Amino acid sequence: MCIDADSALQRDSLREIVAPVIEDDSVVAVGGLIRPANGIALKDGRIQTYSLPRKLIPAMQVLEYDRSFLSARILLDQFNGNLIISGAFGLFRKDIVIAIGGYDPTTVGEDMELVTRLHVFCRGNEIPYRIRYAPDAICWSQAPETFGGLIRQRRRWHTGLFECMIKHARLFANFRYGTVAMLSYTYFLIYELLSPIIDLFGLLTVLIAFLFNFINVPFMIVFFMIYACFGAVMSLTAFFSRVQTRDLRLTVPDDFRAILLSLFEVSIMRFILAVVRMLALIGYRKHKNVWEKAERTKLNAS
């Protein structure tokens, strides 16, 4: 089992992450749910107090994490298609990991690269296997508190994704590797790796259309508001479902903050981070062997 030094497990997390292994002998790896620990207090693995972080950057990440872990990973888990187990909390079958050579020290996205290599190895050698996601195995991890720290983290993530996509390019449109190649690899290639290009190209197209009077401005504004509301509803659904299923309590001000932050995250912060990820692609050679650290605050756990 791997866990980051700046993380803490919930009291029942070990039981939850090992459950898929007990249920199915073919399971070779299980990933847990990562949630930002900013704004919480843990004692003996139990949450004592829970609130949205006071600072904008970590509070926005709370919504972002809940949306990503409660949507894409659950969907990919249905057809054994998860390509990433977060380095913050994961369980692996040791003999298989040793057989494929363990973590690759030449990449900054070693967690995703290892899981992708597990898929390639098991499918290439026709070994029955499953890589699972355990949404109730919760690991509380520190999220960057500053904008600079967030930029360095996301640049490293995108550089690691780029490295993984290049290293395992054999998966692209390769029917031999089944749904992992046809669905998972394609999803991460287009929706994750190339999404900043698509996002920024879309903004540029809208700007040019506006300058040449090719666009209906009232319709554009309404369309963007619908898009922002839809994205906010997805974030809030994931966030509040996590709050309710874990019997956590939020104050009324935190409820309103979550609503406002969800709109900010999907309409503004997303495009700021798209620029960061675009620059990560452009500066790939400069950052490919650099582990960019983000400042951390002390975890409130005992």
Side-chain angles (χ1 to χ4, degrees):
M1 188 183 76
C2 303
I3 181 171
D4 279 353
D6 63 348
S7 302
L9 298 181
Q10 202 149 289
R11 190 175 182 87
D12 58 353
S13 295
L14 291 180
R15 182 185 66 200
E16 295 293 343
I17 202 169
V18 81
V21 180
I22 296 174
E23 296 167 357
D24 186 352
D25 290 339
S26 67
V27 173
V28 299
V30 186
L33 168 66
I34 312 302
R35 302 197 71 193
N38 314 60
I40 73 161
L42 279 173
K43 184 177 181 180
D44 297 328
R46 291 192 173 94
I47 297 177
Q48 301 300 301
T49 59
Y50 180 83
S51 65
L52 275 176
R54 293 181 179 274
K55 295 182 179 180
L56 173 66
I57 297 300
M60 179 273 299
Q61 290 173 83
V62 171
L63 299 170
E64 183 189 23
Y65 272 58
D66 282 349
R67 183 185 67 242
S68 62
F69 275 91
L70 209 60
S71 55
R73 298 205 187 193
I74 288 180
L75 173 62
L76 294 172
D77 185 58
Q78 300 306 305
F79 57 85
N80 195 27
N82 270 311
L83 290 186
I84 184 170
I85 289 176
S86 174
F89 186 36
L91 181 70
F92 299 89
R93 214 177 91 182
K94 188 175 179 180
D95 60 329
I96 295 290
V97 172
I98 291 175
I100 66 173
Y103 283 116
D104 181 357
T106 66
T107 177
V108 296
E110 77 293 336
D111 46 4
M112 181 179 188
E113 195 283 325
L114 176 66
V115 176
T116 306
R117 192 154 26 102
L118 280 171
H119 281 291
V120 172
F121 177 81
C122 291
R123 286 182 178 268
N125 292 280
E126 299 182 351
I127 300 173
Y129 79 104
R130 290 276 294 170
I131 294 177
R132 296 296 312 278
Y133 167 56
D136 291 321
I138 300 175
C139 174
W140 296 95
S141 185
Q142 289 288 299
E145 296 240 339
T146 65
F147 187 59
L150 180 63
I151 287 176
R152 289 190 291 273
Q153 181 196 65
R154 298 311 167 89
R155 187 163 53 201
R156 173 169 55 83
W157 285 4
H158 214 67
T159 300
L161 173 61
F162 191 23
E163 289 175 336
C164 186
M165 294 290 99
I166 292 174
K167 182 174 181 178
H168 298 287
R170 77 182 80 174
L171 291 173
F172 183 69
N174 191 334
F175 287 97
R176 178 187 177 189
Y177 293 97
T179 54
V180 170
M182 304 311 296
L183 294 179
S184 299
Y185 185 89
T186 304
Y187 165 79
F188 278 96
L189 178 66
I190 297 176
Y191 187 77
E192 296 289 350
L193 182 64
L194 301 180
S195 63
I197 299 175
I198 297 170
D199 287 344
L200 297 177
F201 178 78
L203 283 176
L204 180 62
T205 302
V206 170
L207 178 60
I208 293 174
F210 174 75
L211 292 175
F212 287 92
N213 201 27
F214 291 157
I215 197 167
N216 184 322
V217 175
F219 174 81
M220 179 189 71
I221 294 173
V222 171
F223 186 84
F224 181 78
M225 291 176 62
I226 292 172
Y227 154 80
C229 290
F230 178 75
V233 167
M234 288 183 62
S235 296
L236 292 172
T237 299
F239 173 68
F240 284 118
S241 66
R242 268 292 156 194
V243 170
Q244 293 300 318
T245 55
R246 281 290 167 172
D247 293 325
L248 304 176
R249 294 291 181 267
L250 283 175
T251 62
V252 173
D254 271 349
D255 290 335
F256 282 107
R257 285 186 66 213
I259 295 171
L260 294 175
L261 284 169
S262 66
L263 291 168
F264 170 80
E265 189 265 329
V266 74
S267 61
I268 298 176
M269 185 58 71
R270 171 179 174 173
F271 295 103
I272 294 174
L273 293 179
V275 174
V276 172
R277 291 184 292 153
M278 170 72 84
L279 294 176
L281 292 177
I282 296 173
Y284 168 72
R285 291 186 178 276
K286 179 180 178 182
H287 298 286
K288 66 176 182 178
N289 294 318
V290 178
W291 186 277
E292 299 189 88
K293 296 181 179 179
E295 299 86 359
R296 296 289 193 268
T297 57
K298 184 178 179 181
L299 184 65
N300 189 5
S302 59

